[in-house]
């Protein structure tokens, strides 16, 4: 950029362009004193002009001594500086205007002074011709020449005066301008100082900014690194995004497929729901019908049981055990029923040879045949499953709410315990009625749960020995001996009986029942070692309290299932000598016989519908009073030994059982609430 030119310099430049303010001295040829006089005379003539020029002071003198130097270079220097007129603060355009006016004035100056010094000093030309040199004698001519020259000089002086005046004006103007420019210069200097200060400040700021720039560059470097990292990351993310987009598209495609499938499925579900609702209605109807059928089944089942008799007697003859004498052929006979051998046997015949009885001729009396008829007879080969099949219906009655009592009656060793509990543990074929009955009950209860029935089972197992009750499920310190138990009513006014100190164990599966039977065996085994074969001298009563409820219909039923292994029914041989042991045995036997006869009497009384039923005459009948008579169903197994030596006891048992079999106890009623 072109530096701003100072107005002061501008003026100076302009002044340089001017013509010299003072003309150089004339080069007219002046010779001798005459010349000198003429000059003096001329000086006098010029006096007023000289005086005027002197007024310019040094300027004029300067101009004269240095006539070739341009006036502009000298005139304004000192004078302008010394007496610079005050100029208005405004510079620029106004200054330019001033300079322009100076130039204008110069231009306006008359053309004559613009002649070069050399030309201006030449003698005036007359008529355009160079005057020829006049002879010495032509003074007149010379005078006229001089006059012409003088005239010419006067004219020129006049012109110079005018010029001088113009120059003075110009000078004044220039001085004013100089003053104004000086003021302007000071202002500018001030401004310059301020600008410098600003420049310094700017420098400082620049330094700060440079430092800041460096810092920012450093940060920029870091940021660039970061940006690169981010770019890398961005690239990675873009790739990931592309992958995700692809996956998303894939998922969307799958979603669309799934949605299509879903809408199809929803339609299917809707139709299935309708179908399900229809099925549910149907199911409810069928449930209703099923319940009705179930109640009908129970009624018919009960009728069937009643037709079969509320007291039924089954005779079971055990097989001959290894080591036992084989009975004579025909000793026990199992005649077929009216429908032939396919009919299950219901008769048993015992052939008894009484050696004491003789004929008149002395020949042995022919064997006496004793025929007995029962609801069912099981010959020695009958299995446990076969036996259970016959009582399964009775067990079902217990679930339907009818008290059930199953007894095993017979002499010791006839197979009562085998029938009730089973043979050696671990042989499933030899499993007795108790485990089979319970398994059957659990499975039917499970089936009935589908119809809305809920069943619970609580087991207890006691033995009655010599009219004392002991808990066979006792554990811990009571195990073996067992604390004495009492039969009490469950509550004041309650018909329900309970055995104090006895354990009542809830059972829901076979395994639990197995555990209880094992515990009972252990308890009996301990007792057996302490007292000779006590188990055969006591009644074992397994009781199962069955409670059922149909919550949906508010129907409840509860009944006990009793499985009783009675004490040996054998009588004491009256011919035996009565030692201390035998006396004890006699007491036991009397107690047993008493309780067994009480059982018979109770059944008789119930059958005869007597007003008094002697339940209280024995602990056994007292404990079982709610399961005998009335709504109860009873089944008695009469267990018979196949041996001939036991014929007397067998006949006794068969006679007792026959009596029971003849009894008919009134119509059973289910214990429904
Ligand atoms: P009880 O209890 O009447 O005294 P048990 O049940 O103890 O008689 O039977 C005596 C013996 O006869 C036992 O060894 C038993 O295993 C066996 N026994 C009884 N009945 C049968 C049967 N039906 N089949 C096989 N063995 C039997
Ligand atoms: Mg027994």
């Amino acid at each position: 950029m072109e530096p701003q030119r100072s107005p002061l310099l501008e003026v100076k430049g302009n002044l340089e362009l001017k013509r010299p303010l003072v003309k150089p001295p004339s080069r007219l040829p002046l010779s001798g004193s005459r010349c000198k006089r003429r000059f003096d005379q001329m000086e006098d003539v010029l006096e007023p002009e000289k005086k005027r020029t002197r007024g310019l002071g040094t300027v004029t003198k300067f101009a004269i001594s240095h006539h070739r130097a341009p006036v502009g270079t000298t005139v304004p220097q000192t004078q302008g500086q010394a007496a610079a007129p005050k100029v208005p603060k405004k510079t620029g355009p106004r200054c330019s205007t001033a300079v322009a006016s100076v130039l204008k004035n110069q231009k306006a100056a008359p053309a004559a002074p613009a002649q070069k010094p050399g030309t201006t000093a030449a003698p005036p030309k007359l008529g355009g011709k160079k005057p020829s040199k006049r002879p010495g004698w032509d003074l007149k001519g010379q005078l006229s020449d001089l006059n012409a020259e003088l005239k010419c000089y006067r004219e020129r002086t006049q012109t110079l005066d005018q010029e001088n005046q113009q120059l003075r004006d110009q000078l004044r103007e220039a001085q004013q301008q100089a003053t104004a420019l000086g003021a302007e210069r000071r202002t500018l200097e001030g401004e310059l100082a301020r600008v410098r200060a600003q420049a310094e400040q700017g420098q400082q700021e620049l330094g700060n900014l440079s430092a800041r720039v460096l810092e920012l560059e450093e940060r920029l470097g870091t940021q660039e690194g970061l940006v690169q990292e981010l770019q890398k990351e961005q690239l990675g993310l873009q790739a990931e995004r592309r992958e995700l987009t692809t996956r998303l598209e894939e998922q969307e495609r799958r979603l669309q497929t799934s949605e299509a499938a879903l809408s199809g499925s929803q339609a299917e579900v809707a139709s299935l729901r309708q179908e399900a609702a229809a099925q549910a209605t149907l199911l409810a109807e069928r449930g209703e019908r099923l319940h009705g059928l179930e109640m009908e089944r129970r009624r018919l089942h009960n009728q069937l049981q009643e037709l079969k008799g509320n007291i039924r007697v089954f005779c079971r003859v055990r097989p001959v055990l290894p080591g036992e004498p084989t009975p004579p052929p025909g000793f026990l006979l199992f005649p077929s029923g009216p429908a032939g051998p396919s009919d299950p046997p219901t008769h048993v015949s015992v052939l008894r040879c009484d050696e004491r009885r003789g004929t008149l001729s002395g020949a042995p009396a022919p064997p006496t045949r004793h025929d007995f008829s029962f609801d069912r007879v099981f010959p020695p080969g009958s299995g446990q499953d076969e036996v259970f099949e016959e009582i399964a219906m009775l067990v079902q009655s217990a679930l339907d709410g009818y008290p059930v009592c199953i007894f095993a009656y017979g002499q010791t060793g006839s197979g009562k315990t085998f029938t009730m509990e089973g043979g050696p543990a671990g042989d499933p074929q030899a499993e007795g009625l108790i485990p089979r009955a319970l398994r059957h009950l659990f499975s039917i209860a499970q089936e009935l749960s589908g119809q809305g029935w809920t069943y619970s089972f609580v087991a207890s197992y006691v033995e009655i020995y010599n009219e004392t009750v002991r808990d066979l499920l006792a554990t811990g310190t009571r195990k073996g001996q067992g604390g004495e138990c009492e039969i009490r009513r469950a509550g004041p006014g309650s018909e329900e009986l309970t055995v104090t100190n006895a354990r009542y164990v809830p059972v829901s599966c076979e395994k639990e029942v197995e555990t209880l039977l094992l515990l009972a065996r252990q308890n009996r085994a301990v007792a057996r070692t302490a007292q000779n074969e006590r188990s055969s001298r006591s009644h074992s009563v397994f009781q199962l309290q069955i409670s059922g409820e149909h919550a949906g219909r508010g129907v409840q039923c509860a009944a006990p299932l009793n499985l009783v292994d009675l004490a040996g029914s054998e009588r004491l041989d009256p011919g035996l000598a009565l030692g201390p042991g035998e006396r004890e045995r006699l007491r036991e036997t009397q107690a047993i016989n008493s309780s067994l006869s009480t059982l018979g009497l109770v059944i008789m009384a119930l059958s005869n519908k007597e007003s008094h039923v002697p339940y209280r005459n024995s602990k056994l009948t007292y404990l079982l009073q709610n399961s005998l008579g009335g709504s109860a169903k009873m089944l008695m197994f009469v267990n018979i030994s196949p041996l001939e030596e036991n014929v007397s006891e067998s006949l006794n048992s068969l006679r007792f059982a026959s009596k029971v079999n003849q009894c008919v106890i009134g119509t059973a009623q289910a214990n429904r609430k």
Side-chain angles (χ1 to χ4, degrees):
M1 189 191 268
E2 195 183 335
Q4 197 179 358
R5 199 166 173 185
S6 166
L8 193 64
L9 294 173
E10 226 173 271
V11 171
K12 194 179 166 187
N14 288 338
L15 290 176
E16 278 172 5
L17 297 171
K18 286 179 186 173
R19 275 171 279 152
L21 294 175
V22 180
K23 285 183 183 263
S26 176
R27 284 182 188 174
L28 287 172
L30 294 173
S31 54
S33 57
R34 217 173 64 179
C35 255
K36 199 175 177 180
R37 190 182 52 89
R38 296 275 178 208
F39 187 75
D40 290 340
Q41 285 174 342
M42 208 172 67
E43 209 174 12
D44 290 339
V45 173
L46 292 172
E47 195 60 37
E49 191 181 349
K50 251 187 188 176
K51 280 175 187 169
R52 276 201 307 272
T53 314
R54 234 175 253 138
L56 288 172
T58 52
V59 177
T60 312
K61 282 175 192 168
F62 197 77
I64 290 164
S65 57
H66 299 87
H67 61 277
R68 284 193 181 273
V71 177
T73 52
T74 53
V75 175
Q77 283 293 334
T78 49
Q79 263 189 352
Q81 278 178 0
K86 280 199 175 179
V87 289
K89 274 204 171 181
K90 278 188 182 172
T91 55
R94 181 152 183 184
C95 236
S96 308
T97 316
V99 172
S101 71
V102 169
L103 289 171
K104 198 176 161 188
N105 292 339
Q106 278 181 343
K107 277 176 189 169
Q115 285 173 357
K116 282 185 180 177
T119 56
T120 54
K125 292 168 186 175
L126 297 173
K129 289 178 185 174
K130 201 174 176 182
S132 55
K133 205 170 177 180
R134 294 182 188 267
W137 49 267
D138 193 8
L139 288 170
K140 205 176 172 180
Q142 282 178 7
L143 185 61
S144 81
D145 286 349
L146 282 170
N147 277 337
E149 197 176 341
L150 182 63
K151 193 182 170 191
C152 184
Y153 275 118
R154 271 190 185 141
E155 282 173 4
R156 286 194 64 188
T157 304
Q158 210 173 347
T159 310
L160 283 170
D161 278 348
Q162 283 174 358
E163 200 175 330
N164 189 25
Q165 188 57 41
Q166 279 178 358
L167 286 170
R168 277 174 193 276
D169 291 344
Q170 282 178 6
L171 181 64
R172 200 166 43 251
E173 204 173 321
Q175 278 173 344
Q176 281 173 356
Q177 281 179 5
T179 312
L181 289 170
E184 194 175 347
R185 196 195 70 176
R186 278 195 299 283
T187 311
L188 288 170
E189 277 174 356
E191 206 171 317
L192 182 67
R194 193 168 50 78
V195 166
R196 273 190 186 136
Q198 275 182 358
E200 269 174 30
Q201 197 182 341
Q203 281 287 343
Q204 204 171 341
E205 275 177 21
L206 186 67
N208 290 345
L209 285 171
S210 299
R212 179 93 179 116
V213 163
L214 280 175
E215 190 193 331
L216 286 172
E217 275 174 352
E218 203 174 317
R219 276 178 64 187
L220 182 67
T222 318
Q223 295 291 337
E224 276 173 354
L226 206 63
V227 164
Q228 279 177 356
E229 268 178 42
L230 286 172
Q231 278 173 345
K232 259 191 237 170
E233 204 174 319
Q234 191 191 17
L235 284 174
L237 286 171
Q238 278 172 349
E240 202 174 324
R241 198 192 67 169
R242 278 196 295 279
E243 193 191 327
L244 284 171
T245 311
T246 317
R247 278 173 61 190
L248 184 68
E249 284 168 1
E250 175 65 22
Q251 295 288 342
E252 275 173 354
R253 270 199 299 279
R254 284 170 62 186
L255 185 68
Q256 280 171 358
T257 318
S258 299
E259 275 173 352
L262 182 69
S263 59
S265 299
Q266 276 172 343
E268 207 175 324
V269 163
S271 84
L272 283 172
R273 276 206 181 122
Q274 279 181 348
E275 211 175 308
Q279 295 283 347
T281 317
L282 202 68
L283 203 66
E285 279 172 20
R286 287 200 176 155
E288 191 71 31
R289 247 183 89 201
L290 196 65
H291 182 72
L293 287 171
E294 168 64 18
M295 299 319 277
E296 182 64 9
R297 181 201 63 74
R298 289 186 182 197
R299 195 181 63 78
L300 292 171
H301 178 84
N302 192 48
Q303 261 183 15
L304 180 69
Q305 298 303 310
E306 280 176 0
L307 285 171
K308 285 186 175 181
N310 279 340
I311 297 180
R312 271 179 279 169
V313 180
F314 290 175
C315 173
R316 186 179 193 187
V317 182
R318 74 159 172 86
V320 177
L321 299 175
E324 285 181 339
T326 312
F331 169 64
L332 287 172
L333 295 170
F334 303 94
S336 302
S342 60
D343 242 12
T346 52
H347 294 82
V348 60
S349 301
V350 182
L351 279 177
R352 183 178 182 179
C353 301
D354 196 345
E355 286 162 8
R356 287 173 292 181
R357 277 176 58 210
T359 55
L360 289 172
S361 59
T368 319
R369 180 175 167 152
H370 301 270
D371 294 321
F372 299 94
S373 169
F374 299 104
D375 293 290
R376 179 77 200 265
V377 173
F378 294 99
S382 309
Q384 297 279 63
D385 49 348
E386 212 179 319
V387 173
F388 178 73
E389 224 174 86
E390 277 298 313
I391 66 144
M393 299 286 268
L394 203 61
V395 169
Q396 169 93 53
S397 285
L399 265 187
D400 295 348
Y402 299 94
V404 174
C405 229
I406 300 175
F407 295 100
Y409 180 94
Q411 71 174 115
T412 301
S414 61
K416 299 183 296 295
T417 306
F418 184 90
T419 300
M420 284 298 173
E421 287 188 25
D427 180 3
Q429 288 298 320
E431 248 185 0
L433 296 186
I434 296 175
R436 283 174 194 264
L438 269 88
R439 192 189 305 137
H440 185 64
L441 285 173
F442 293 149
S443 98
I444 295 175
Q446 183 68 35
E447 276 175 30
L448 286 172
S449 72
Q451 293 178 32
W453 286 92
T454 315
Y455 278 95
S456 66
F457 306 93
V458 179
S460 66
Y461 207 176
V462 296
E463 71 171 8
I464 302 169
Y465 169 74
N466 239 350
E467 289 302 284
T468 55
V469 182
R470 281 180 67 242
D471 184 15
L472 286 175
L473 302 180
T475 51
T477 50
R478 290 175 60 240
K479 197 170 177 178
Q481 297 103 51
E484 247 185 54
C485 302
E486 288 299 327
I487 303 163
R488 297 256 188 275
R489 295 214 169 264
S494 169
E495 289 292 307
E496 206 181 321
L497 292 169
T498 182
V499 179
T500 60
N501 293 331
R503 280 177 72 209
Y504 285 84
V505 186
V507 287
S508 55
C509 66
E510 288 173 65
K511 198 82 194 156
E512 288 169 352
V513 177
E514 266 176 40
T515 311
L516 292 185
L517 293 180
L518 191 70
L519 179 63
R521 270 187 202 189
Q522 286 172 354
N523 275 327
R524 269 200 298 256
V526 174
R528 189 180 294 144
T529 51
Q531 294 174 29
N532 184 28
E533 283 296 330
R534 201 180 87 176
S535 67
S536 64
R537 318 295 302 156
S538 63
H539 311 297
S540 299
V541 183
F542 180 89
Q543 281 192 312
L544 187 75
Q545 294 293 335
I546 303 168
S547 309
E549 185 182 10
H550 194 298
R553 299 180 190 278
V555 185
Q556 290 177 332
C557 62
L561 169 67
N562 301 279
L563 297 153
V564 187
D565 183 357
L566 292 169
S569 58
E570 64 274 10
R571 280 126 218 263
L572 201 65
D573 192 343
L576 285 174
L578 289 177
E582 280 73 23
R583 268 203 295 275
E584 175 66 21
R585 188 76 183 269
L586 184 63
R587 254 204 319 278
E588 274 180 12
T589 310
Q590 280 169 346
I592 294 163
N593 290 343
S594 165
S595 66
L596 287 176
S597 17
T598 302
L599 178 64
L601 287 172
V602 163
I603 293 168
M604 296 293 173
L606 288 168
S607 174
N608 297 335
K609 296 196 174 22
E610 287 173 18
S611 57
H612 176 70
V613 182
Y615 292 118
R616 288 183 171 268
N617 285 5
S618 79
K619 288 275 165 70
L620 178 71
T621 49
Y622 185 60
L623 179 65
L624 297 175
Q625 62 180 290
N626 291 330
S627 304
L628 298 170
S631 60
K633 298 180 191 309
M634 201 178 87
L635 173 69
M636 183 174 280
F637 276 96
V638 55
N639 288 93
I640 300 294
S641 163
L643 305 181
E644 197 182 19
E645 62 187 50
N646 297 132
V647 69
S648 177
E649 288 302 329
S650 296
L651 284 172
N652 279 337
S653 297
L654 288 167
R655 282 186 193 121
F656 177 83
S658 286
K659 273 191 199 167
V660 171
N661 199 33
Q662 286 159 14
C663 293
V664 176
I665 299 180
T667 308
Q669 283 185 342
N671 284 342
R672 291 217 192 96
K673 291 168 190 169

